[in-house]
Amino acid sequence: MTATNTARPTTTVGHVGLGAMGRPIAEFVARAGFDTVAYDLSPDAGARGVRMVDGLAEVATSDVVIVIVPTDDDVVGVVAGPGGLLEHGHRDMIVVISASVRPETCRELAAKGARLGVHVIDAALTGGVRGAENGEINLLVGGPREVADRAGEVFGAFAKNYHVLGDVGAGQVAKSANNLIHWAQIVAIDEALRMAQGLGVEPHALRRALQEGPTDSRTLREMEQMRFTWYVKDIEIATSLAAATGHTLPVATLSRRLMDGVTVAAMHELLAEPRESGEPGERGEEPGPGESR
């Protein structure tokens, strides 16, 4: 399903967590015309067009609440803990779990919410920080379609698409599948480019050539823009999910080990294009005024 930007100004949207992903998402929602409020533990947190509030009780007056906090324990505390959204919320409120957590966490919270008439769904974020900053997030959703479609007006403010993939928790399963492909691609691309480099082919030139063929991907195009964080958490979640079904993930296990050696600095060095002879700093020259190494 493709999200559309058809905001209803009467809908109030709450946000819990204004980190690298949450802040730009909240700003897009506010810009779309929604009455937008947010709560974050950091006293310095803020977002343009977003009204900051002092606690979850004020966020829970919203029609739709998007939760983007770091861990399962954080999500449980925000949604079902003392003073949380379920305690202060209202019937028919939609709580959207967009943190990367275990599917069972979402299902347990959805069951608690259902007893109070609150809809809890999960909408996993793919596209990274750049996707959030550009309003191009791809959402993987788990929950009743009618609830997801009600929240779809809000999704359309910050996401290019949303896909309802099954019951609550399906979005997190899909995110784990996405993550397995993502990290495996990174180690495979790094390995291939370094092999070519050792045989005399410039990695930056090879990458451009590969973009014209069947191995092209967003990962290949944007390697040096990535932060390479969260791979440990992502792969551990996927491994535990697979183990519960009797599956093993040998590629994921190898990716987890090899990612330890893939750093932002090393990737920048690998993909850097050679500077023209005579540029400042070339062949040991000192940088010019106002420049640095």
Side-chain angles (χ1 to χ4, degrees):
M1 164 138 340
T2 300
T4 56
N5 192 344
T6 56
R8 295 182 306 170
T10 55
T11 298
T12 302
V13 182
H15 299 264
V16 182
L18 291 181
M21 302 285 283
R23 181 192 54 75
I25 286 173
E27 291 180 346
F28 272 110
V29 171
R31 197 177 307 159
F34 293 98
D35 180 14
T36 308
V37 302
Y39 171 70
D40 191 282
L41 287 176
S42 171
D44 299 323
R48 291 186 299 272
V50 178
R51 177 166 53 89
M52 298 301 296
V53 295
D54 294 328
L56 295 173
E58 294 176 85
V59 176
T61 63
S62 305
D63 300 303
V64 177
V65 180
I66 300 173
V67 178
I68 310 178
V69 292
T71 69
D72 288 67
D73 287 343
D74 293 327
V75 170
V76 171
V78 165
V79 177
L85 296 173
L86 294 184
E87 180 178 316
H88 294 288
H90 55 89
R91 291 189 64 84
D92 226 24
M93 177 175 70
I94 300 175
V95 176
V96 181
I97 300 173
S98 288
S100 293
V101 296
R102 299 178 186 277
E104 55 266 31
T105 298
C106 301
R107 296 183 191 119
E108 291 168 4
L109 293 174
K112 292 181 179 180
R115 292 194 287 269
L116 300 171
V118 174
H119 309 286
V120 179
I121 64 175
D122 63 309
L125 309 169
T126 63
V129 174
R130 289 184 309 285
E133 291 175 343
N134 295 327
E136 296 179 347
I137 286 293
N138 187 44
L139 281 174
L140 309 175
V141 181
R145 178 170 291 277
E146 61 271 19
V147 177
D149 286 347
R150 279 177 51 204
E153 293 185 304
V154 177
F155 295 158
F158 67 89
K160 62 179 180 179
N161 296 294
Y162 71 92
H163 308 272
V164 182
L165 299 171
D167 294 334
V168 175
Q172 301 296 336
V173 173
K175 177 67 177 288
S176 284
N178 173 87
N179 291 341
L180 290 179
I181 296 170
H182 176 66
W183 298 118
Q185 279 184 318
I186 288 173
V187 296
I189 292 169
D190 180 70
E191 185 175 87
L193 294 180
R194 291 187 185 281
M195 178 201 72
Q197 183 182 46
L199 295 170
V201 176
E202 289 288 349
H204 69 91
L206 175 58
R207 180 171 67 159
R208 282 201 299 267
L210 294 177
Q211 289 172 13
E212 301 296 331
T215 57
D216 187 30
S217 68
R218 179 175 172 184
T219 302
L220 178 66
R221 290 174 178 269
E222 300 183 359
M223 286 280 281
E224 73 273 34
Q225 300 177 49
M226 297 178 180
R227 302 183 182 185
F228 306 137
T229 52
W230 301 111
Y231 65 90
V232 174
K233 176 186 176 182
D234 289 344
I235 294 174
E236 285 180 351
I237 289 176
T239 301
S240 67
L241 292 177
T245 64
H247 287 80
T248 59
L249 301 175
V251 174
T253 301
L254 181 59
S255 298
R256 163 66 181 85
R257 178 170 62 82
L258 294 178
M259 275 304 303
D260 286 340
V262 180
T263 67
V264 172
M267 190 55 60
H268 277 274
E269 181 179 358
L270 177 67
L271 293 173
E273 297 194 25
R275 289 181 292 184
E276 295 294 332
S277 178
E279 284 190 8
E282 189 77 9
R283 298 179 181 176
E285 296 177 7
E286 290 301 313
E291 296 174 343
S292 60
R293 290 197 184 277

